[in-house]
């Protein structure tokens, strides 16, 4: 009873044990490999996995993190500067989410983004992702698409991601009932993903990250966005340091506070590249999931 399918579009995805990954350089428009060896690596992945890579976006359901105290009222200069920097970073998180969604659509020719459709982080990233995918002509069942994993007992859990979803190509936006509560839907999200991205987030994001980590998924936190991504809310300690397969330069970019437009662009570009690297490290799954396959 944990998972049943209720898709708004026809979809016949291959089982979870399969996947394909195709990266695209947005400035040149042709398929290239920038995150790993040569073209043979992508061909090997396509043959091995046979479907689009799946990325789960984890994050907070509301925008928070702006200091409650006005920086101008803090007496010490150093304290004012620190508070002002924190406020600027927190204010930049919504804009960061928009840039991340856009960067994902530009970076990949084929990608399925998984979300619970929550307000704030997830909705902002996915709305930006879909709009850019439409603009680039990549939206569709064979290109860039979104799957919403929603709780069956919370009918109002998901509002439209776009003002007019009718403009989406059939198979671009799919809905799957996953459990009966938000917690169960979030667990299903962690189970179905190949890679997880955390932007800000609270205890729920940390628990989903831990679940994904225990199942061998790569989990990439954007530390500069604060919240769980910055190590709060009991985020696993191993996610607070760079994984051995990720270069120090990319990790540094992922950790930058989103205080300026340039910083947000750098972080989003690094996130898309790190996700591509994580996909290239995928291996066939040898352990059955604890819940039935989603699709």
């Amino acid at each position: 009873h944990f998972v049943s399918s209720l898709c708004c579009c026809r979809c016949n995805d291959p089982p979870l044990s399969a996947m394909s990954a195709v990266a695209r350089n947005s400035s040149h428009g042709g398929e290239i490999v920038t995150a790993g060896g040569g073209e043979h690596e992508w061909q090997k992945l396509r043959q091995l996995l046979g479907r689009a890579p799946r990325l789960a976006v984890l994050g907070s359901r509301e925008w928070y993190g702006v200091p409650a105290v006005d920086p101008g009222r803090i007496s010490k200069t150093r304290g004012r500067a620190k508070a002002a920097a924190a406020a600027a970073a927190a204010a930049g998180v919504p804009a960061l989410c928009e840039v991340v969604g856009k960067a994902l659509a530009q970076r990949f020719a084929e990608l399925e983004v998984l979300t619970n459709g929550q307000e704030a982080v997830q909705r902002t990233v996915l709305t930006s992702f879909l709009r850019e995918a439409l603009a680039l002509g990549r939206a569709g069942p064979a290109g860039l698409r979104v799957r919403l994993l929603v709780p069956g007992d919370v009918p109002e859990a998901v509002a439209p991601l776009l003002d007019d979803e009718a403009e989406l190509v059939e198979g671009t936006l799919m809905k799957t009932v996953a459990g009966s509560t938000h917690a169960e839907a979030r667990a299903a999200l962690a189970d179905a993903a190949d890679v997880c991205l955390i932007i800000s987030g609270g205890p729920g994001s940390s628990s989903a990250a831990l679940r994904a980590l225990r199942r061998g998924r790569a989990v990439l936190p954007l530390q500069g966005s604060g919240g769980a991504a910055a190590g709060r809310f009991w985020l696993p300690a191993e996610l607070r340091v760079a994984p051995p397969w990720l270069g120090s330069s990319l990790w540094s970019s992922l950790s930058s506070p989103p205080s300026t437009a340039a910083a947000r662009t750098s972080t989003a570009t690094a996130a898309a590249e790190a996700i591509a690297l994580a996909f290239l490290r995928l291996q066939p799954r040898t352990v059955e999931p604890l819940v039935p396959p989603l699709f």
Side-chain angles (χ1 to χ4, degrees):
H1 70 285
F2 189 88
V3 177
S4 62
S5 179
L6 184 63
C7 295
C8 60
C9 312
R10 287 190 298 271
C11 55
N12 295 296
D13 288 351
L16 280 172
S17 59
M19 165 183 179
S20 72
V22 180
R24 184 181 295 271
N25 182 301
S26 59
S27 62
H28 294 85
E31 289 180 17
I32 63 170
V33 176
T34 59
E39 175 63 17
H40 70 281
E41 291 194 358
W42 289 111
Q43 293 173 348
K44 181 180 178 181
L45 278 176
R46 294 188 196 110
Q47 183 178 10
L48 180 67
L49 301 164
R51 64 160 168 78
R54 287 173 176 153
L55 170 70
V57 176
L58 305 174
S60 50
R61 292 187 285 178
E62 59 182 313
W63 305 118
Y64 61 84
V66 178
V69 178
D70 180 354
R73 297 180 61 184
I74 300 176
S75 58
K76 295 183 179 179
T77 303
R78 185 176 180 183
R80 286 199 300 270
K82 187 175 182 180
V93 173
L96 173 64
C97 291
E98 292 185 14
V99 179
V100 166
K102 188 175 182 178
L104 291 173
Q106 293 174 347
R107 179 63 175 82
F108 294 96
E110 185 177 20
L111 180 67
E112 183 171 307
V113 182
L114 308 178
T115 173
N116 298 130
Q118 298 285 315
E119 294 290 342
V121 168
Q122 290 186 342
R123 186 174 301 280
T124 303
V125 172
L126 271 297
T127 297
S128 177
F129 174 75
L130 285 175
R131 285 176 176 163
E132 186 68 9
L134 286 168
L136 295 172
R138 298 180 187 172
L144 305 179
R145 53 196 185 268
V146 171
R147 187 181 297 272
L148 301 170
L149 303 180
V150 300
D153 292 350
V154 191
E156 72 281 5
V158 178
L161 292 177
L162 298 178
D163 293 335
D164 185 9
E165 292 185 352
E167 65 182 300
L168 295 175
V169 177
E170 186 177 29
T172 302
L173 179 61
M174 298 159 285
K175 296 180 183 179
T176 299
V177 174
S180 59
T181 66
H182 285 298
E184 290 178 344
R186 189 166 52 241
L189 184 74
D191 289 342
D194 298 310
V195 176
C196 293
L197 179 70
I198 310 177
I199 304 176
S200 187
S205 296
S206 287
S207 66
L210 176 59
R211 187 180 182 95
L213 191 65
R214 285 176 172 171
R215 284 158 177 74
R217 278 62 155 181
V219 180
L220 298 168
L222 301 190
Q223 296 188 45
S225 62
R232 298 178 59 197
F233 304 112
W234 310 282
L235 187 77
E238 51 264 60
L239 296 181
R240 302 175 193 176
V241 296
W245 52 269
L246 189 64
S248 58
S249 178
L250 274 180
W251 180 254
S252 177
S253 295
L254 295 180
S255 305
S256 299
S259 305
T260 66
R264 292 189 288 270
T265 298
S266 176
T267 296
T269 302
E273 186 65 18
I275 290 164
L277 280 167
F279 285 144
L280 282 169
R281 298 181 66 256
L282 286 168
Q283 299 293 328
R285 295 185 182 173
T286 57
V287 180
E288 289 297 320
L290 297 183
V291 297
L294 289 175
F295 25 85

